[in-house]
Amino acid sequence: MKQDDAMSSIAGTSLKTLWLLMLLLTLAVVLRKPEHLILLAVAAWFAALIKGIWIIRYFMEMKQAPLFLQRILYGWLIITISAVTLTAIWQL
């Protein structure tokens, strides 16, 4: 039982670190000067992709899910991020 508690503690610490990294990545994109709109859109797209992959793999614990389920989620992520980014660019 003590080994399970130690593993939960390690997993909790690494998830907190990953969550903090995601927060810093979001702040880096948001606080960037919007001088170059396309560059900002590409940076936001990649930041959202990285964060989405982290969420799918670590927070949803899909690392050990069947490959077809992982591909469905990653495909949905790419389509959604692309649609939101293109809509934001089109609205400006």
Side-chain angles (χ1 to χ4, degrees):
M1 188 68 171
K2 291 190 183 254
Q3 186 178 10
D4 290 337
D5 291 339
M7 292 300 287
S8 295
S9 176
I10 292 169
T13 302
S14 63
L15 284 179
K16 288 177 186 175
T17 303
L18 188 58
W19 190 257
L20 180 62
L21 285 172
M22 288 181 1
L23 176 66
L24 292 175
L25 186 58
T26 302
L27 286 174
V29 170
V30 169
L31 296 177
R32 189 175 184 145
K33 294 181 182 179
E35 296 168 348
H36 304 286
L37 180 61
I38 298 299
L39 183 61
L40 182 61
V42 169
W45 190 88
F46 276 112
L49 181 68
I50 290 168
K51 288 170 52 177
I53 289 171
W54 284 347
I55 289 170
I56 290 169
R57 290 185 59 79
Y58 298 106
F59 294 101
M60 293 175 66
E61 297 183 2
M62 293 291 292
K63 289 186 289 189
Q64 298 168 348
L67 190 57
F68 78 95
L69 286 177
Q70 291 180 23
R71 287 182 177 168
I72 288 171
L73 278 175
Y74 292 137
W76 171 85
L77 177 67
I78 290 170
I79 290 169
T80 304
I81 292 170
S82 298
V84 169
T85 303
L86 290 175
T87 303
I89 291 172
W90 182 62
Q91 293 294 321
L92 296 174

